[in-house]
Amino acid sequence: MKNNAENYSRRSALKKMAGTTAMAVAGASLAHRLSAAEAVLDSNLKGKVNHSVCRWCYNDIPLEDLCKAANSIGLTSIELTGPEEWPVLKKYGLTSALPWGAGKGIAEGFNNPALHDELVKSYSEVIPKAAAAGLTQIICFSGNRNGLDDEKGIENCAIGLQRLMPIAEKYKVTMVMELLNSKVNHPDYQCDHTPWGVALCDKVGSDRFKLLYDIYHMQIMEGDVIATIKKYQKYIAHYHTGGVPGRNEIDDTQELNYPAIMKAILETGFKGYVAQEFIPKREDKIASLRQGVQICDVA
């Protein structure tokens, strides 16, 4: 059931665009939880990893409170945010390492030529806004297959994306397509294997188009995470975390060895961001976020 909840929550957030900050929870209760979380672990980080967090996983925490928590933990980014939220992040000295605010969501993407005009218009409007806000990446999606074979999907996506490369290159904003699993969370999604995404990058032929390697999703689809990261590191602009199975905390309650994965990422020379994108299962969500950052904060 938790996977269905994740689908609904994230897809709803993407479709509504930015600025739809979640309803506030009780202030006193939240303040208590934040204070408790700050006492859990030392927030001094080693400085080798750029840490981010995905907004949608904490939708029940008001954005300003999440910004304060991010500062206390040592995060420098809250991502999957849109244009109306970026000024709030700036107020707290934060960036959005991988924003959204364009497109039609996960299921309707660049593999459908009928959507190209709409998608090009949407991204053409948001890319300059992102650049003006000092942001350098923006998320995008392949869309669902709907009977389309993989080769045709790559061809269709490349045609649409190539229309946007001149504006992406002009504003120095990289479009980053997310690799998602089609087995559990996003049935029929086309960009569901790393080699497919790599083939698309080669077809588009611009350094302003790269991949978001979601560790959770790709563990489900193909496994062999560390070897895949090493093999395809030049195509990867961003990483997401999540515990397998269940998409919850990334500690020893799940199967992935995140410290080893993070060391492998750093060994590739990666200088971008790694974002926590797990759904906290524990009551104290900020404490879980702090723990996740500490687990990934390798030297």
Side-chain angles (χ1 to χ4, degrees):
M1 293 298 177
K2 198 170 288 291
N3 287 327
N4 290 335
E6 182 254 318
N7 284 346
Y8 177 79
S9 174
R10 190 169 180 201
R11 287 175 178 172
S12 296
L14 285 162
K15 283 201 169 190
K16 288 178 181 177
M17 307 297 285
T20 57
T21 48
M23 294 179 65
V25 297
S29 174
L30 178 62
H32 173 75
R33 294 207 305 275
L34 290 175
S35 297
E38 288 174 9
V40 172
L41 291 169
D42 182 2
S43 64
N44 291 328
L45 301 177
K46 297 179 177 69
K48 295 295 180 88
V49 179
N50 294 314
H51 295 282
S52 182
V53 63
C54 294
R55 172 72 179 115
W56 73 271
C57 299
Y58 301 85
N59 272 341
D60 60 344
I61 297 177
L63 182 56
E64 294 216 22
D65 288 327
L66 185 59
C67 288
K68 293 172 185 176
N71 282 336
S72 77
I73 293 169
L75 296 162
T76 54
S77 163
I78 298 176
E79 63 186 65
L80 299 186
T81 54
E84 294 180 20
E85 295 167 301
W86 300 338
V88 179
L89 303 185
K90 185 176 181 180
K91 174 182 174 182
Y92 289 91
L94 299 167
T95 189
S96 184
L98 188 62
W100 52 267
K104 296 174 65 62
I106 292 171
E108 296 181 292
F110 284 93
N111 65 356
N112 184 352
L115 300 177
H116 283 178
D117 286 349
E118 183 178 356
L119 288 167
V120 169
K121 181 177 185 296
S122 179
Y123 279 94
S124 294
E125 291 172 352
V126 173
I127 285 172
K129 293 180 182 178
L135 309 180
T136 61
Q137 299 187 144
I138 191 164
I139 198 167
C140 65
F141 302 95
S142 67
N144 288 355
R145 286 182 173 84
N146 294 314
L148 200 65
D149 67 50
D150 281 352
E151 185 175 345
K152 190 64 175 176
I154 290 170
E155 180 182 338
N156 288 351
C157 282
I159 290 169
L161 288 162
Q162 284 169 341
R163 290 173 59 181
L164 282 162
M165 288 305 99
I167 191 168
E169 291 163 1
K170 175 182 177 181
Y171 287 96
K172 297 181 172 59
V173 172
T174 302
M175 295 186 65
V176 183
M177 183 171 286
E178 185 164 13
L179 292 154
L180 298 169
N181 84 74
S182 59
K183 185 185 293 184
V184 177
N185 300 99
H186 303 285
D188 203 43
Y189 184 74
Q190 189 147 45
C191 187
D192 64 351
H193 281 83
T194 308
W196 190 95
V198 166
L200 177 58
C201 287
D202 287 339
K203 186 81 169 176
V204 172
S206 171
D207 284 341
R208 288 299 169 183
F209 178 73
K210 292 190 179 293
L211 301 176
L212 159 53
Y213 185 89
D214 189 301
I215 299 162
Y216 161 80
H217 287 294
M218 291 302 97
Q219 169 69 0
I220 290 172
M221 290 304 297
E222 56 194 26
D224 210 16
V225 169
I226 289 176
T228 302
I229 287 169
K230 290 180 177 179
K231 182 176 182 179
Y232 295 118
Q233 50 91 12
K234 73 175 184 177
Y235 296 94
I236 299 170
H238 201 77
Y239 290 91
H240 279 174
T241 74
V244 180
R247 192 61 177 273
N248 304 127
E249 281 82 353
I250 62 170
D251 57 18
D252 59 7
T253 61
Q254 53 86 54
E255 69 191 32
L256 286 162
N257 184 345
Y258 269 98
I261 293 169
M262 292 304 305
K263 287 177 182 177
I265 290 171
L266 292 181
E267 286 171 3
T268 69
F270 182 73
K271 303 296 184 184
Y273 275 82
V274 176
Q276 303 296 326
E277 198 189 21
F278 62 86
I279 303 168
K281 193 174 184 179
R282 304 187 188 105
E283 182 178 353
D284 193 334
K285 297 180 179 182
I286 297 301
S288 285
L289 174 58
R290 184 185 294 272
Q291 180 194 47
V293 170
Q294 291 283 341
I295 288 169
C296 288
D297 193 53
V298 298

